């Protein structure tokens, strides 16, 4: 709707759910080498990223986090409408 389109023009403040490691992670090797049943991923959103390099870590209000963890947090905020909001005046 038009109202939804307008609300998305408002800047959002990410609501971090916790420090690094808050979201479940799976090593891609476990998937490729079939040590993980793909059925465990059914109905889930899967984000692929790296945590192996310190250059991939960014400072957040809850500590250093990988880019994919920040993306997971933003995805969670979008799906659950969990953004930090200003208190009404």
């Amino acid at each position: 709707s038009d109202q939804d389109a307008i609300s998305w023009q408002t800047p959002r403040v990410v609501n971090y759910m916790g420090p690094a490691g808050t979201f479940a992670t799976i090593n891609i090797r476990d998937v490729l080498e079939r040590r993980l049943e793909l059925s465990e991923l059914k109905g889930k959103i899967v984000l692929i990223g790296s945590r192996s390099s310190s250059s991939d870590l960014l400072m957040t209000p809850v500590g250093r986090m990988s880019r994919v963890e920040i993306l997971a947090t933003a995805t969670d905020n979008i799906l659950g409408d969990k953004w930090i909001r200003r208190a009404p005046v």
Side-chain angles (χ1 to χ4, degrees):
S1 75
D2 287 340
Q3 187 174 14
D4 290 337
I6 292 167
S7 70
W8 277 105
Q9 293 176 7
T10 304
R12 305 291 174 158
V13 178
V14 175
N15 184 5
Y16 287 90
M17 302 291 106
T22 297
F23 292 94
T25 59
I26 299 168
N27 190 307
I28 192 68
R29 261 195 202 125
D30 292 338
V31 175
L32 297 175
E33 295 175 5
R34 304 204 186 248
R35 292 186 293 231
L36 173 83
E37 292 294 325
L38 293 181
S39 61
E40 293 182 47
L41 302 177
K42 186 173 182 172
K44 304 243 176 23
I45 295 173
V46 177
L47 304 172
I48 299 173
S50 172
R51 294 182 302 137
S52 62
S53 168
S54 62
S55 66
D56 278 340
L57 298 178
L58 302 173
M59 188 53 75
T60 72
V62 295
R64 292 172 62 86
M65 248 184 209
S66 69
R67 295 172 193 269
V68 74
E69 287 178 294
I70 295 169
L71 180 58
T73 300
T75 301
D76 185 63
N77 280 211
I78 291 167
L79 294 176
D81 194 25
K82 298 177 183 176
W83 305 102
I84 293 176
R85 293 176 172 77
R86 291 181 183 256
V89 214

